[in-house]
Amino acid sequence: MISGHLTQTARAKINLTLRITGRRTDGYHELESLVVFADIADTLTLEPAVHTSLDITGPFAGAIDAATDNLVLKAVNALGALVPGLKGGRFRLDKHIPVAGGVGGGSADAAAALRLLARHNGISFDDARLMTAALRVGADVPVCFVSHACVMTGVGERLSPPLDLPELPALLVNPRVGVSTRDVFAALAKAGLPKDGRALGDIPHDAAGLIEFLKSHGNDLTAPALACAPVIGEVLTALEALPGIRLARMSGSGATCFALFATEAEAQAGESHLAAWHPEWWAAATVLNRTP
C-alpha cells in the first residue's frame, strides 16, 4: 500500500466518430467509435483512510450528488467486489468536465478512481479485474481507463491498440444542458438504426488527412440527440460560423459539441467568439491527443 495523497487526471473523452452497428438481444447497442482525449480534465485525489468517502469541488460540482450518482464510488464498489480487502480512502474530485455532456466526465472519473485504487493496493494496471470492474461501471469506463486514442467497438469493451494520432486544436462547447444517454438511445430506437454508415478502415495519421477522413464518418447519435435537445443544433450552427473551422460535430450522445482547427490560436479565438455570442454556454479551447 502507498501512503500519502495520490492524484490522477481524468481527461474528457471525445468521440471523433460514432457508428451504431447493431442492437444486442440484451438491449445494449454495438458501436464503432474513434475516441481521443482532451486537455480539459477533472482531477481526482485519494488520501488513505479507514472509511471511503467523496468530496466534490469545482465549477460543475453542483451538478452531481456525491452520495448517490457519482461513478467514483460505483467504481470503488465494483472493484471491491472483485478484490477482497480492497483499501479505499477519502476521494476529492475537482470537477471541470460538463456533466451528462457526452464527453465521458463521469466515466473518466470512475477510470481515474480505478487507477488510484490500483496504485493504492499494489495492483498492476494490466490486472484483468480492473477492466472487468470498469465495464461493470459503464461502457465508456474501459476506454477512459486507457485514456489514449483508440477505436472502441462492441459495447465499449473492445479497444484497439493505442493509435498514434496528431494533436488537434479544438474548441469544446456545451449549452449547459444535460442529455440522458438513455433518452437518446430511446429516440434512436424510435427512428430506427442508421443503415448507411461505413466502417472506419485505415485512419490517417496526419492532421489534414485525419480531418478529411472524419468528414466521411459522422456520429449516428446526432439526430436522436437533436430530438431530445434541439439546442445542440444551435451549437453546431454557431461552431460552423467560426473563422478557421475545419469540422464541427457532436461528441458521444451530446450535448457537448466540438470544432477542429488548424492552430491553437484559431481555437482560442473561437472560444472568445462563442463567449461573446453565447455567454450562457460553456466553451473551452483545448488540444486533442496531446501527450500528458
Side-chain angles (χ1 to χ4, degrees), residues 255-271:
T256 304
C257 300
F258 63 90
L260 300 181
F261 298 87
T263 68
E264 291 185 55
E266 288 175 330
Q268 291 161 358
E271 179 181 342

Side-chain angles (χ1 to χ4, degrees), residues 14-34:
I14 306 299
N15 299 91
L16 292 180
T17 71
L18 201 164
R19 183 171 70 101
I20 304 299
T21 59
R23 187 174 185 181
R24 307 191 320 185
T25 56
D26 61 7
Y28 286 94
H29 288 80
E30 299 264 348
L31 56 84
E32 179 188 55
S33 179
L34 176 57

Side-chain angles (χ1 to χ4, degrees), residues 205-282:
H205 291 261
D206 64 288
L210 178 58
I211 292 174
E212 286 302 311
F213 171 86
L214 294 176
K215 293 177 181 178
S216 300
H217 300 274
N219 183 341
D220 285 347
L221 295 182
T222 302
L226 281 166
C228 296
V231 68
I232 293 171
E234 297 178 35
V235 174
L236 290 171
T237 297
L239 289 176
E240 289 165 354
L242 292 173
I245 179 74
R246 302 293 303 279
L247 178 77
R249 179 161 295 163
M250 185 185 81
S251 178
S253 56
T256 304
C257 300
F258 63 90
L260 300 181
F261 298 87
T263 68
E264 291 185 55
E266 288 175 330
Q268 291 161 358
E271 179 181 342
S272 298
H273 282 295
L274 262 294
W277 297 346
H278 293 279
E280 74 279 15
W281 293 353
W282 173 87

Side-chain angles (χ1 to χ4, degrees), residues 16-68:
L16 292 180
T17 71
L18 201 164
R19 183 171 70 101
I20 304 299
T21 59
R23 187 174 185 181
R24 307 191 320 185
T25 56
D26 61 7
Y28 286 94
H29 288 80
E30 299 264 348
L31 56 84
E32 179 188 55
S33 179
L34 176 57
V35 176
V36 296
F37 290 85
D39 283 347
I40 304 299
D42 296 338
T43 301
L44 186 65
T45 301
L46 173 61
E47 179 184 358
V50 175
H51 301 291
T52 295
S53 61
L54 173 64
D55 295 318
I56 306 175
T57 61
F60 289 99
I64 51 180
D65 187 337
T68 59

Side-chain angles (χ1 to χ4, degrees), residues 35-189:
V35 176
V36 296
F37 290 85
D39 283 347
I40 304 299
D42 296 338
T43 301
L44 186 65
T45 301
L46 173 61
E47 179 184 358
V50 175
H51 301 291
T52 295
S53 61
L54 173 64
D55 295 318
I56 306 175
T57 61
F60 289 99
I64 51 180
D65 187 337
T68 59
D69 63 358
N70 192 272
L71 297 187
V72 169
L73 297 181
K74 291 182 180 180
V76 175
N77 292 333
L79 189 59
L82 299 171
V83 180
L86 183 76
K87 298 178 178 65
R90 185 178 297 111
F91 288 95
R92 291 187 177 88
L93 175 62
D94 188 20
K95 189 70 184 165
H96 289 259
I97 300 175
V99 176
V103 287
S107 296
D109 298 340
L114 291 173
R115 292 194 298 269
L116 286 172
L117 290 168
R119 291 174 60 192
H120 185 36
N121 288 271
I123 301 171
S124 171
F125 277 13
D126 61 4
D127 189 308
R129 293 174 296 181
L130 290 167
M131 278 301 190
T132 299
L135 190 59
R136 289 180 180 178
V137 177
D140 282 340
V141 182
V143 74
C144 289
F145 183 87
V146 175
S147 194
H148 197 290
C150 67
V151 175
M152 176 175 65
T153 55
V155 298
E157 82 282 12
R158 297 198 298 269
L159 307 177
S160 75
L163 298 174
D164 183 18
L165 296 183
E167 293 185 356
L168 296 172
L171 175 65
L172 307 185
V173 179
N174 183 284
R176 298 188 186 274
V177 172
V179 178
S180 164
T181 300
R182 183 184 298 273
D183 291 347
V184 171
F185 275 102
L188 175 70

Side-chain angles (χ1 to χ4, degrees), residues 181-203:
T181 300
R182 183 184 298 273
D183 291 347
V184 171
F185 275 102
L188 175 70
K190 184 177 180 179
L193 295 179
K195 298 180 180 179
D196 57 354
R198 294 191 299 157
L200 286 173
D202 293 332
I203 299 170

